[in-house]
Amino acid sequence: MGISEKLGLSKGQRYVFFGGKGGVGKTTCAAATAVWLSEEEGKEVLVVSTDPAHSLSDIFDQNIGSEPTPIEGVEGLKAIEIDPEKAAEEYVEVMKRVYEMSKDKGMEDLFGGEDLLKEQEELLKSSPGIDEAAAFQKFMELMKDDSYDVIVFDTAPTGHTLRFLSVPETLERQVKTMIKVRRTLRQVSKMLKTLIPFADSDEDEEDEILENLEKMKKEIEEIRETLSDASLTAFRLVMTPEEMAIYEARRALRTLNHYEIPVDMVIVNKVMPKRADECEFCRTRRKMEEKRLKLVEKYFGDKEIHQIPMFAEEVRGLGKIRQVAEILYGEPA
Ligand SMILES: Nc1ncnc2c1ncn2[C@@H]1O[C@H](COP(=O)(O)OP(=O)(O)OP(=O)(O)O)[C@@H](O)[C@H]1O
Ligand SMILES: [Mg+2]
Ligand SMILES: [Zn+2]
C-alpha cells in the first residue's frame, strides 16, 4: 500500500512530519518521502524546512527560497525554506495586532478589565519559543493553501518540533482569555451606555472584534483536530541504532501521545550492513547495533519499523535520495 493510500490521500491535503535527535536523518527522510510521493504516487508535494542551516538546499543541491521553489528534475515537487528570523518578525506583528484588537480605549481601567489584560499579557509572555510560534504561524498559512496534496515537514531536532506542536494549546488559551476580556469590556460598555446615554462606545466594532477572536479560536481548534487525526497527519520518528537517539525518540513519543499526535512509523537510519568480509571493528559495531535494534522493537513494537543502511557516502542529490526512498517505500526485494 502506498503512503498516499494509507493516508487516505484522495480526500485532500495531508501532513507528514519527521522528528528525531540532531543528525539522525530527518532531512534525508523528509526529502526521500517528498520525492517518492511526487514521482511514484503522482502527488503535488511541498517539502518545508524551518532549519536556518538550509539543509534542503544542500540535499537537493539547488537554491531553495522562502517561496515554494520547484525542484529540478522532480515533477510536482516544490520546496520551501522558511527563515526562522523573518518568520518570527512576522509573527510578532500578527500577535501585536491581535493584542491591540483585544485592548480598548481606556476601558481596561474599569471593573476588573485591567486584571484580565494583565493575565493576557502574562500568557503572551509565557508563550513557547518565538521560533516555534512563528513556524506554527507559517503552518497555519500553509494549511489554508490547498494547492498541495501533501506537505512534508522537515523539522528541527525533536525538542523544538514538539514545542512547535504545543503552540496551538498555548494560543488557544491566549485567545480564550482575550475573548473573556472582550466580553467583560462589552458588558461594561453596555452598562455605561445605559447610565450615560452619550457615552462613547461602538457596539458594531465590539462585535466585530469578538467575532474575529472567535474565528481565530475556531481555526486553532481545527488545527488541533487535524494534527490529532491519523487520517490527515502522520508523525515519523527517525533515529540511529544508538541509545541516545532511541531514548530521545521515546521521550518524543510520550510527548506526541500527550498531544494526541499519531505516530505511524519509526525509521532506524544508518544501520551497518552485514558483510561476509567484515573486520573485527565492524563485527563488534554490528553486534552492538543488533542489541539497539531489539530495544527499538521493545519500545516501538506497535509501529511500522523501517531500517535504512549506512551508506559509504552522505546522502546528497536526487540519485541518492531516490535510493533512500526505494528502501523506505519500495516493494521489498
Ligand atoms: N543512511 C545514511 N548513510 C550515510 N549517511 C547518511 C545516511 N542518512 C543520512 N546521512 C547523512 O548524515 C547527515 C545527517 O543527515 P540529515 O541532515 O538528514 O539529518 P538531520 O536529522 O536532518 O540533521 P539535523 O538535526 O542537523 O537537521 C547528512 O550528511 C546525511 O547525508
Ligand atoms: Mg535536518
Ligand atoms: Zn570493517
Side-chain angles (χ1 to χ4, degrees):
M1 186 161 54
I3 339 174
S4 41
E5 274 169 73
K6 212 178 284 170
L7 289 169
L9 265 180
S10 47
K11 285 181 280 172
Q13 202 171 57
R14 300 296 181 265
Y15 311 93
V16 185
F17 290 85
F18 287 89
K21 196 173 178 290
V24 293
K26 298 177 294 294
T27 301
T28 302
C29 292
T33 304
V35 167
W36 181 270
L37 280 166
S38 34
E39 289 189 332
E40 301 298 322
E41 304 190 15
K43 302 297 171 193
E44 290 296 321
V45 183
L46 179 70
V47 53
V48 185
S49 160
T50 50
D51 182 355
H54 305 291
S55 41
L56 285 177
S57 295
D58 284 346
I59 193 165
F60 284 112
D61 233 337
Q62 78 171 72
N63 244 325
I64 291 162
S66 57
E67 293 299 320
T69 310
I71 294 298
E72 291 156 25
V74 185
E75 208 184 311
L77 177 57
K78 287 182 180 155
I80 175 170
E81 271 178 356
I82 293 163
D83 177 350
E85 250 174 56
K86 220 175 104 197
E89 277 164 29
E90 278 174 39
Y91 175 75
V92 167
E93 280 311 305
V94 170
M95 282 321 277
K96 261 198 337 227
R97 248 178 291 137
V98 172
Y99 185 70
E100 285 305 315
M101 226 164 69
S102 71
K103 260 177 140 177
D104 208 52
K105 326 133 198 144
M107 286 274 216
E108 60 262 43
D109 298 338
L110 293 165
F111 307 108
E114 195 181 13
D115 282 352
L116 284 169
L117 278 172
K118 276 228 178 73
E119 190 185 331
Q120 175 187 339
E121 235 179 287
E122 284 310 307
L123 278 168
L124 269 171
K125 278 185 207 142
S126 66
S127 294
I130 193 76
D131 280 1
E132 289 78 34
F136 186 76
Q137 180 67 29
K138 280 280 165 196
F139 179 61
M140 266 168 70
E141 264 177 57
L142 288 171
M143 276 182 83
K144 284 184 210 155
D145 175 354
D146 56 5
S147 36
Y148 305 99
D149 299 316
V150 193
I151 301 184
V152 178
F153 289 88
D154 166 31
T155 71
T158 332
H160 291 278
T161 319
L162 299 179
R163 261 185 307 186
F164 158 82
L165 293 168
S166 73
V167 171
E169 216 173 58
T170 313
L171 258 185
E172 194 171 26
R173 228 168 38 227
Q174 290 173 354
V175 171
K176 271 185 183 155
T177 308
M178 287 181 207
I179 288 170
K180 209 160 92 191
V181 172
R182 291 305 322 174
R183 290 226 175 96
T184 309
L185 290 179
R186 194 156 70 159
Q187 272 162 12
V188 168
S189 127
K190 269 193 185 143
M191 217 160 83
L192 274 181
K193 235 183 165 173
T194 331
L195 293 173
I196 320 158
F198 303 108
D200 180 30
S201 101
D202 190 334
E203 271 190 54
D204 286 347
E205 192 189 329
E206 296 276 307
D207 284 343
E208 201 187 307
I209 294 167
L210 247 182
E211 237 170 63
N212 277 332
L213 285 170
E214 298 278 6
K215 210 175 104 197
M216 192 163 165
K217 184 167 150 257
K218 218 176 135 239
E219 269 175 21
I220 296 165
E221 276 165 9
E222 269 170 31
I223 288 183
R224 291 184 64 174
E225 272 168 31
T226 302
L227 286 176
S228 59
D229 183 340
S231 71
L232 301 175
T233 300
F235 201 103
R236 296 176 179 177
L237 288 168
V238 188
M239 64 203 79
T240 48
E242 290 162 314
E243 263 186 337
M244 289 304 146
I246 296 167
Y247 287 145
E248 175 133 353
R250 202 175 166 221
R251 275 194 295 276
L253 181 64
R254 273 195 220 113
T255 311
L256 290 163
N257 285 341
H258 168 78
Y259 292 117
E260 296 179 343
I261 294 164
V263 174
D264 74 333
M265 192 186 284
V266 161
I267 299 165
V268 189
N269 187 22
K270 305 191 193 183
V271 178
M272 285 265 296
K274 198 175 174 176
R275 292 164 47 132
D277 61 342
E278 64 190 2
C279 66
E280 184 56 34
F281 175 86
C282 291
R283 195 161 36 243
T284 311
R285 170 91 205 174
R286 209 170 43 72
K287 281 241 169 66
M288 182 275 289
E289 288 191 359
E290 270 163 19
K291 277 190 206 147
R292 301 299 174 260
L293 285 167
K294 287 215 176 76
L295 211 57
V296 173
E297 192 66 50
K298 183 176 155 197
Y299 294 147
F300 307 98
D302 60 331
K303 318 274 177 225
E304 207 177 289
I305 300 172
H306 289 253
Q307 286 185 27
I308 304 173
M310 166 85 96
F311 296 111
E313 287 166 25
E314 55 186 11
V315 182
R316 202 169 166 170
L318 270 181
K320 285 254 173 51
I321 296 172
R322 285 188 186 119
Q323 225 176 306
V324 172
E326 181 66 36
I327 292 167
L328 273 179
Y329 304 113
E331 291 294 323

